[in-house]
C-alpha cells in the first residue's frame, strides 16, 4: 500500500526540489545573516529567529550551484535534522504537494549537477514535472552537524 507524503516544493536554479513537511519547522523571508568565521563557504552564518540561534546554509553553495543574489522570492526554510534546526536559503518556496510513495524513483547519479547522495528520490508529478527529494541526513552530514551545533553555543 503506497503512503502519501506531504512535501514542500522549493526551487533552486530553476529545478524543483522537495522536503517532507514533517521535517520543516517554518518558512521565513530573507533576513540579515550574521557571518560566522571559519565555516565552510556554503554556511552563510546564523540568524536569531524568535530567540533561537539558527545556522543558515545556502543550498546553492552546498550543491555547487552558482550563487545568486537574494530576490523578494528568496526564502529560508527552517528544517529539523537530528535535533538541530538549520535554515536553507532557497530561490523560492511556493507549494505543498501530496506524493504517493510508489511514484518516487531512485535518483540518477547526478541531477541538475547535484550528486545523488544528497537526494532521496525523484517523484513524478503530473504535467511532466519531476520533483527532486532531498536526503537531509546527507545534505547535513555528521561532521557538519557537529560544526553547526557548536555555532549555536
Amino acid at each position: 500500500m503506497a503512503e502519501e507524503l506531504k512535501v514542500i516544493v522549493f526551487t533552486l536554479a530553476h529545478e524543483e526540489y522537495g522536503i517532507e513537511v514533517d521535517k520543516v519547522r517554518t518558512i521565513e523571508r530573507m533576513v540579515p545573516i550574521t557571518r560566522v568565521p571559519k565555516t565552510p563557504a556554503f554556511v552563510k552564518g546564523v540568524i536569531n529567529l524568535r530567540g533561537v540561534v539558527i545556522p543558515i546554509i545556502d543550498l546553492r553553495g552546498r550543491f555547487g550551484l552558482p550563487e545568486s543574489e537574494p530576490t523578494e522570492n528568496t526564502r529560508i526554510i527552517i528544517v529539523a535534522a537530528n535535533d538541530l534546526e538549520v535554515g536553507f536559503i532557497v530561490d523560492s518556496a511556493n507549494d505543498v504537494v501530496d506524493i504517493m510513495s510508489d511514484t518516487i524513483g531512485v535518483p540518477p547519479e547526478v541531477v541538475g549537477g547535484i550528486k545523488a547522495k544528497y537526494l532521496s528520490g525523484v517523484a513524478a508529478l503530473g504535467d511532466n514535472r519531476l520533483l527532486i527529494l532531498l536526503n537531509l541526513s546527507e545534505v547535513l552530514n555528521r561532521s557538519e552537524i557537529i560544526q553547526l551545533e557548536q555555532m549555536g553555543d
Side-chain angles (χ1 to χ4, degrees):
M1 179 82 188
E3 286 181 42
E4 188 173 79
L5 292 175
K6 276 206 174 312
V7 176
I8 293 198
V9 177
F10 65 91
T11 59
L12 274 184
H14 308 294
E15 296 281 346
E16 289 187 306
Y17 297 85
I19 298 178
E20 292 169 46
V21 165
D22 62 358
K23 305 235 186 326
V24 175
R25 293 279 188 256
T26 177
I27 299 174
E28 303 290 331
R29 290 186 175 277
M30 206 52 191
V31 294
I33 297 170
T34 304
R35 188 87 185 110
V36 177
K38 297 190 178 111
T39 56
F42 60 82
V43 177
K44 291 301 172 194
V46 294
I47 62 170
N48 184 331
L49 187 65
R50 298 182 265 291
V52 179
V53 175
I54 298 176
I56 301 298
I57 290 177
D58 184 344
L59 274 189
R60 279 176 168 260
R62 179 68 179 107
F63 294 153
L65 298 170
E67 289 194 26
S68 68
E69 288 298 312
T71 69
E72 63 183 43
N73 293 325
T74 302
R75 295 290 180 267
I76 298 174
I77 300 178
I78 309 294
V79 299
N82 308 330
D83 300 327
L84 174 69
E85 286 191 347
V86 177
F88 292 144
I89 299 173
V90 301
D91 295 350
S92 67
N94 47 7
D95 211 356
V96 176
V97 296
D98 294 320
I99 299 173
M100 297 309 290
S101 59
D102 60 1
T103 66
I104 299 172
V106 177
E109 275 307 301
V110 174
V111 177
I114 298 173
K115 293 189 185 87
K117 73 175 186 173
Y118 297 130
L119 312 174
S120 64
V122 177
L125 303 178
D127 60 15
N128 292 330
R129 281 169 66 196
L130 284 180
L131 186 64
I132 304 161
L133 302 175
L134 288 193
N135 177 348
L136 285 184
S137 60
E138 277 300 329
V139 172
L140 298 170
N141 72 35
R142 203 60 223 133
S143 63
E144 288 165 352
I145 288 172
I146 291 165
Q147 198 175 10
L148 293 173
E149 284 171 340
Q150 292 166 346
M151 288 172 64
D153 294 343

